[in-house]
């Protein structure tokens, strides 16, 4: 099957990497074969799954640059059924290096064509920007999950991202779907959180996942141990939320 899902939002701190790691781990726990691609120079998805990013020799940079095959960049993670192509700080340079390349938006897509069928899901953790790296991810992806933080400025910048997705659909990837908008960092005690949920659901209706990711201490702690929430504390609210999200995505893709 090999469905490629990009996790994207140019705003930082909305739960992109948390979602990438824990959605991948939850899909793995539900016995799907998953590849996570760290396409963020901060490499948090890599370190969050126990990868020593200082010693990454073949990562996303080499894959996009086509100096190595995607297959060569794949390494196992601490999460069952989850593999990763890790990132390294050198990924910062890729934006500059790709500028003069022909078909520069398609470099990641071409690299993944060779391994797409080996996995049930390929999750791409995008950088918090709308630069060439994110453009490569959106061009390679079948769909995109957009995490939205339940905070005051939640919808700020969303229009810009949706416009970028529209232009990618028009120019580079007509098959790109929006998998769904994912509400993150929800705090039941805050009236504001509830207002944001209502507003997003009112505006975007069926595009919003039923699953809402709640604020959860264990979710914040897990990456410092190099583990997903499923490995770190399978009984936590965070683990339950991400397993629900994985089930929702599997169900949606089985019915399609």
């Amino acid at each position: 099957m090999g469905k490629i899902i990009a996790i994207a939002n140019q705003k930082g701190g909305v739960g992109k990497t948390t979602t990438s790691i824990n959605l991948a781990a939850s899909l793995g726990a539900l016995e799907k074969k998953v590849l996570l691609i760290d396409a963020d120079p901060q490499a948090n998805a890599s370190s969050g799954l126990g990868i020593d990013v200082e010693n990454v020799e073949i990562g996303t940079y080499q894959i996009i640059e086509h100096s190595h095959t995607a297959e060569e960049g794949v390494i196992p993670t601490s999460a069952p059924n989850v593999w990763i192509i890790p990132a390294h700080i050198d990924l910062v340079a890729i934006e500059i290096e790709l500028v003069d390349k022909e078909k520069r938006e398609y470099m990641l897509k071409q690299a993944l064509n060779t391994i797409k069928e080996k996995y049930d899901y390929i999750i791409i953790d995008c950088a918090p920007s709308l630069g060439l790296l994110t453009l490569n991810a959106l061009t390679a992806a079948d769909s995109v999950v957009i995490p939205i933080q339940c905070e005051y400025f939640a919808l700020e910048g969303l229009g810009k991202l949706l416009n970028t997705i529209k232009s990618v659909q028009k120019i580079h990837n007509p098959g790109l779907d929006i998998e769904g908008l994912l509400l993150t960092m929800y705090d039941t005690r805050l009236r504001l959180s509830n207002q944001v949920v209502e507003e997003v659901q009112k505006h975007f209706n069926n595009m919003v996942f039923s699953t809402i990711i709640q604020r959860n201490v264990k979710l914040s702690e897990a990456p410092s141990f190099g583990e997903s929430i499923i490995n770190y504390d399978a009984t936590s609210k965070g683990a339950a939320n991400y397993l629900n999200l994985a089930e929702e995505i599997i169900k949606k893709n089985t019915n399609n």
Side-chain angles (χ1 to χ4, degrees), residues 223-252:
S224 60
F225 292 91
E227 291 184 342
S228 72
I229 191 64
I230 309 294
N231 278 28
Y232 183 64
D233 187 350
T235 61
S236 67
K237 203 179 276 179
N241 288 167
Y242 276 108
L243 281 165
N244 285 344
L245 176 66
E247 280 170 358
E248 204 176 328
I249 286 175
I250 291 169
K251 192 174 166 191
K252 185 177 172 183

Side-chain angles (χ1 to χ4, degrees), residues 15 18 31 35 43 48 53 56 68 78 112 115 120 125 140 146 174-175 195 205 216 220 229 233 240 242 248 252 256:
T18 302
E31 303 192 334
L35 175 64
V53 294
V56 168
H68 285 83
S78 56
L112 294 183
I115 57 166
D120 296 309
D125 183 28
I146 304 170
Q195 285 171 341
N205 208 340
N216 179 243
S220 322
I229 191 64
D233 187 350
Y242 276 108
E248 204 176 328
K252 185 177 172 183
N256 279 354

Side-chain angles (χ1 to χ4, degrees), residues 5-24 36-42 44-45 123-130 134 137-138 144-149 161 182-185 213 242 245:
I5 302 175
I7 315 288
N9 189 331
Q10 77 274 27
K11 275 181 73 128
V14 295
K16 269 193 304 294
T17 300
T18 302
T19 296
S20 301
I21 291 173
N22 295 309
L23 173 58
L36 176 61
I37 295 173
D38 193 345
D40 182 350
Q42 293 172 67
N44 291 339
I123 308 289
I124 308 176
D125 183 28
C126 295
S129 75
L130 293 177
T134 300
L138 293 175
V144 56
V145 167
I146 304 170
I148 297 173
Q149 193 178 358
L161 177 62
L182 175 67
L183 291 154
T184 63
M185 305 182 192
I213 309 298
Y242 276 108
L245 176 66

Side-chain angles (χ1 to χ4, degrees), residues 21 25 27 53 80 103 106 118 121 131 140 185 207 233 238 251:
I21 291 173
L27 288 165
V53 294
K103 297 242 178 220
Y106 298 91
K118 291 188 176 179
Y121 290 94
M185 305 182 192
M207 286 166 69
D233 187 350
K251 192 174 166 191

Side-chain angles (χ1 to χ4, degrees), residues 191-206:
R191 207 171 89 221
L192 179 63
S193 272
N194 294 307
Q195 285 171 341
V196 171
V197 170
E198 277 171 36
E199 197 179 339
V200 172
Q201 287 171 340
K202 188 176 79 192
H203 276 287
F204 297 101
N205 208 340
N206 300 340

